[in-house]
Amino acid sequence: MTTALFTDAPGPAADRTVIGENLSLPLFRTLSGVLAGHPYLKVVVDRAEHVWHLLDTAAHPFHVNYIATRVLGMELAELDARLDEFNASVYMDPERRFLLGVLSLHTDEDAEGRERTFLVLETTEADTMNGQLLADFYEFVRSRVDGRLPVLLKPANHGQEEELAAISELRVPRILSHELFGSRTRTPLNPGEATGRLRHFRTHEEYAAAEAALGWADIVAMPCLPDDVPRVAGFLNTAPITPLSHTNVLASGWGIPNAIVLDLDQLVGADGLDGAWIRYRVSDDEIRVERLDREPELSAPAWHQQRIRLEPPLLEDAPVLSLHRLRAADRDRYGTKAANLGELHHVLDSRTADLTAFYGRPRPPREDLYGHLAARVGADGASLPELRAAAAQFVATTVGAPDGVALPFALQQHFLASSPALQQGIGKLKMALELDATEVLDSLCLRLQQLIRHTPVPESVTRQILQAFPAPAAARGRLVVRSSSNAEDLPGFSAAGVYDSVTAVHGTDELLDAVRQVWASLVSPRSVRLRHQVGISLDDTYMGVIIQEYVPASLGGVLVTCDPTRREDFRNVYLNCSPGSPEQVVDGSVLPQQYLYNTVEGGGRTVALGSWGDGLPAATRARLSDLSLTGRLLQSHFSEDDVDRPLDIEWLMTDRGDFRLVQIRPYAL
């Protein structure tokens, strides 16, 4: 086959796209770009002409644009007008003419410790190639790549994994995504840039000894940062964590860089970075740590002057209410968490909310994504009102809201007012905050927490709590008591992991103890300091309480309706899970399984298997796909003014296989 080179450059550089030439490593490097630290090259196989095209990455960022304009002679305006139809013809048609993919270059070590270079072939995540097409694609590419370079096929989604299961690995050698990237040395978690002093700790004991001296100009590096880490300039993790851990939620909410750098210990030792001033940058494609020659002149960060305003809490007497009787507007009486769960009950029960708004937003060149949503919920050809009804039905049949009751702020206020000692302790804490006497805050907070936990609950308050249950607490088995403050889930102040929940409560005495523990967490040293930093007054801060029956879970986790590491991606949502309670995912006690699900074209893929060697069964992954789409649909309602504002959802799967959403809140970006 004769090689053809395009030279009619669309920009200042010549288009070096190659047609029909075998691929060597030098040619790969000539044409490739870099994504997430790996060189990559786009390829198009034309089955009709039995030829392949190796695209110059700099000139052709999109496969379909190249095929339409350079191969089929279309105008871009024509392509834009029928983009979804065209995409279906190249990504979903089993009789398609073109096979589209990417070759990326990787290195690892063989069994003898020698460096090995190899290529990985994959399609886009939405591609529905069956097993035969995948095998044909691989064999076409393999036959045209330098035989000295190993080529492995990476299934792009769960559907492709299942299709390949029937094909011998001798015919199609493969590697799964979590195998390729699970041990990646450097992984971005939250983008950002910071200049500060690197504080490197190898153990929690080292960190604890230095914690009191950490300040806003420090960048903290250690294997697993504690959930109560103070607000600093940046995080560096020297051991794997998930993007949905509490500390990364904090990094996202605070707008500070966060990444996994597994070789940081060696870098610190070799370059003497501990205690040095550095410039630290995290982006989708790069993690950079640069040592500075001298201490920079730094001004206090913007958040040091940040002020968060709360709506005044409503403290007049309000009843203990079942969650299903609350609405979003009740957050000023019962707290944000309880109000959001009440709103969720309303959405599921009434089915009147418009859950399609995210899909109605223009995604140029598309006017909207309604057609994609219709395909996902089985409503092809439906009118917009019919599509809204189908979306509401899909959500209501996929998930449930937890039962339980909410205690209003008024009960906490009655409890605090019942004790002169409590009033005196609160007064001392307020005075210290007004005087900015931060050196005595911790001791005052700890003393006040101790008082709250041991002060008797007034009989009138106890009666209201216990009357909320139709049966005595002791007869109801295990209860879960959760916090619901008005000072959390706010723009610029997420408070993830700041307040207490008690998940193993039995009987009346333990119930009252748990309620007091949740109330006491409102004045923990960490919560008081964090609120004080952003100007939230202690006078305006109150704690509601949610009481629920414990529901055994076979699977639990966290779903955020975005890809936390690629904020511009409007297709994918990120889901973490582990057997049992969602708390294991958010507190970092285990490494969860991690999945990405495409809520536009459909499909999902495994990112990491975490602490478990095996992935979930195909049927369970399909259920998680439905859960992911449900989260995206709920985003349309709970995002309020901005339908692109993602949600952070804690969920569990019961022993019967039902999904329950136990928390729903904005995900801080």
Side-chain angles (χ1 to χ4, degrees):
M1 181 72 67
T2 302
T3 299
L5 296 175
F6 290 120
T7 57
D8 51 333
D15 179 354
R16 299 161 295 183
T17 293
V18 173
I19 304 174
E21 183 172 323
N22 287 346
L23 182 63
S24 63
L25 190 54
L27 179 58
F28 178 94
R29 295 192 184 280
T30 298
L31 299 174
S32 64
V34 177
L35 183 64
H38 297 282
Y40 77 102
L41 172 64
K42 295 182 178 69
V43 300
V44 173
V45 171
D46 186 338
R47 301 172 75 203
E49 298 294 332
H50 200 66
V51 69
W52 73 338
H53 303 242
L54 307 177
L55 308 192
D56 180 356
T57 304
H60 300 291
F62 302 107
H63 289 90
V64 292
N65 287 22
Y66 173 83
I67 295 171
T69 60
R70 295 302 185 93
V71 181
L72 301 179
M74 295 171 59
E75 297 292 334
L76 277 178
E78 180 186 357
L79 172 64
D80 288 348
R82 47 182 291 228
L83 182 59
D84 288 330
E85 176 189 349
F86 193 89
N87 280 340
S89 74
V90 295
Y91 292 123
M92 299 171 188
D93 186 349
E95 304 299 325
R96 67 190 77 171
R97 171 181 171 181
F98 301 102
L99 305 179
L100 283 57
V102 170
L103 279 167
S104 54
L105 187 66
H106 300 262
T107 59
D108 65 4
E109 291 185 353
D110 63 18
E112 284 72 40
R114 294 170 299 194
E115 185 176 272
R116 177 183 71 140
T117 300
F118 61 99
L119 290 173
V120 171
L121 175 67
E122 63 182 305
T123 72
T124 183
E125 65 200 28
D127 199 301
T128 60
M129 280 192 200
N130 58 33
Q132 186 58 54
L133 276 179
L134 287 165
D136 291 346
F137 190 29
Y138 173 81
E139 289 166 351
F140 190 104
V141 171
R142 171 67 277 182
S143 67
R144 288 159 176 80
V145 171
D146 186 331
R148 293 169 295 182
L149 275 174
V151 180
L152 303 175
L153 179 68
K154 181 168 79 69
N157 52 53
H158 294 143
Q160 289 187 5
E161 288 181 29
E162 292 159 20
E163 286 286 332
L164 283 170
I167 298 175
S168 167
E169 292 199 37
L170 294 176
R171 180 184 176 189
V172 181
R174 69 206 65 166
I175 188 168
L176 301 180
S177 180
H178 66 269
E179 295 171 333
L180 184 63
F181 297 118
S183 59
R184 187 163 56 179
T185 302
R186 301 178 184 181
T187 304
L189 294 174
N190 194 64
E193 187 169 345
T195 298
R197 183 179 55 166
L198 183 67
R199 304 297 304 277
H200 179 242
F201 307 108
R202 289 181 171 81
T203 66
H204 184 77
E205 288 72 23
E206 289 181 8
Y207 165 84
E211 179 183 8
L214 294 177
W216 58 262
D218 289 320
I219 297 170
V220 178
M222 60 187 297
C224 182
L225 286 99
D227 285 348
D228 61 355
V229 62
R231 193 161 185 172
V232 291
F235 296 155
L236 275 158
N237 300 268
T238 59
I241 67 163
T242 164
L244 302 188
S245 65
H246 267 149
T247 51
N248 198 49
V249 172
L250 289 175
S252 179
W254 292 343
I256 63 174
N258 189 20
I260 300 169
V261 181
L262 299 182
D263 60 346
L264 186 70
D265 289 355
Q266 295 93 315
L267 296 176
V268 168
D271 300 334
L273 292 178
D274 188 22
W277 290 91
I278 64 169
R279 185 171 292 112
Y280 171 40
R281 181 176 185 271
V282 177
S283 66
D284 292 346
D285 300 329
E286 181 184 47
I287 300 167
R288 176 176 295 179
V289 176
E290 175 188 356
R291 180 170 184 157
L292 302 179
D293 293 334
R294 63 180 68 88
E295 179 178 343
E297 294 184 9
L298 297 177
S299 55
W303 62 262
H304 228 255
Q305 288 80 40
Q306 181 185 21
R307 290 296 177 263
I308 303 294
R309 297 192 62 181
L310 298 183
E311 293 296 323
L314 299 180
L315 302 177
E316 69 271 16
D317 286 339
V320 176
L321 287 181
S322 296
L323 290 174
H324 74 268
R325 295 181 61 187
L326 299 182
R327 294 294 302 274
D330 291 314
R331 60 174 59 95
D332 53 6
R333 290 180 175 86
Y334 297 87
T336 308
K337 193 180 300 180
N340 284 348
L341 289 177
E343 187 71 15
L344 176 62
H345 272 282
H346 169 75
V347 169
L348 299 180
D349 295 341
S350 71
R351 305 192 187 183
T352 58
D354 179 12
L355 304 181
T356 68
F358 175 88
Y359 291 86
R361 179 166 179 173
R363 310 286 173 180
R366 304 169 182 85
E367 292 183 4
D368 57 63
L369 299 175
Y370 286 138
H372 290 282
L373 175 58
R376 302 276 75 75
V377 299
D380 287 317
S383 66
L384 186 53
E386 291 170 337
L387 180 58
R388 288 173 176 167
Q393 174 71 15
F394 180 89
V395 169
T397 56
T398 302
V399 301
D403 294 325
V405 299
L407 311 186
F409 297 158
L411 287 189
Q412 182 201 19
Q413 172 67 3
H414 286 317
F415 168 73
L416 296 175
S418 70
S419 165
L422 286 176
Q423 291 298 302
Q424 185 180 39
I426 293 170
K428 290 180 178 179
L429 180 56
K430 287 180 181 178
M431 180 65 70
L433 291 170
E434 290 173 6
L435 298 175
D436 205 23
T438 56
E439 69 279 358
V440 299
L441 277 184
D442 286 8
S443 61
L444 290 174
C445 288
L446 292 171
R447 191 174 304 130
L448 182 54
Q449 283 191 287
Q450 185 78 355
L451 275 172
I452 291 172
R453 291 192 184 105
H454 292 90
T455 296
V457 180
E459 183 179 346
S460 61
V461 174
T462 300
R463 188 185 316 115
Q464 290 186 67
I465 295 173
L466 299 183
Q467 285 178 347
F469 296 92
R476 299 180 66 88
R478 179 175 170 181
L479 299 175
V480 176
V481 179
R482 301 184 185 276
S483 60
S484 181
S485 173
N486 63 335
E488 61 182 328
D489 303 339
L490 304 171
F493 191 78
S494 73
V498 170
Y499 305 121
D500 284 357
S501 292
V502 186
T503 59
V505 177
H506 299 84
T508 299
D509 291 341
E510 287 189 16
L511 175 59
L512 295 178
D513 287 344
V515 170
R516 283 180 293 197
Q517 180 176 334
V518 172
W519 282 339
S521 68
L522 194 68
V523 292
S524 70
R526 183 181 182 226
S527 69
V528 169
R529 285 181 179 276
L530 287 175
R531 292 194 305 268
H532 183 59
Q533 287 172 350
V534 297
I536 296 177
S537 169
L538 188 62
D539 284 329
D540 293 334
T541 309
Y542 278 83
M543 179 66 76
V545 179
I546 300 170
I547 304 172
Q548 302 165 284
E549 291 187 48
Y550 171 76
V551 177
S554 59
L555 198 66
V558 180
L559 163 71
V560 295
T561 58
C562 66
D563 180 349
T565 63
R566 294 184 62 223
R567 302 300 174 82
E568 74 284 358
D569 178 6
F570 63 85
R571 287 177 165 82
N572 287 292
V573 302
Y574 203 96
L575 183 145
N576 279 7
C577 63
S578 65
S581 165
E583 279 81 4
Q584 294 183 92
V585 172
V586 296
D587 68 12
S589 59
V590 299
L591 286 176
Q593 296 191 12
Q594 303 174 41
Y595 298 91
L596 279 170
Y597 284 97
N598 184 324
T599 60
V600 178
E601 290 88 2
R605 62 188 189 273
T606 304
V607 178
L609 293 181
S611 301
W612 289 268
D614 297 323
L616 296 171
T620 303
R621 294 199 307 249
R623 296 287 316 283
L624 293 180
S625 178
D626 290 344
L627 174 65
S628 298
L629 179 56
T630 293
R632 176 70 84 200
L633 292 168
L634 289 172
Q635 178 179 329
S636 293
H637 181 73
F638 283 90
S639 58
E640 298 177 348
D641 296 334
D642 181 3
V643 296
D644 277 344
R645 187 183 183 195
L647 298 180
D648 176 342
I649 298 171
E650 289 187 23
W651 58 272
L652 56 84
M653 178 186 283
T654 70
D655 292 338
R656 295 179 299 177
D658 302 324
F659 285 122
R660 301 279 182 88
L661 307 189
V662 297
Q663 182 166 322
I664 185 167
R665 60 187 175 189
Y667 179 69
L669 285 177

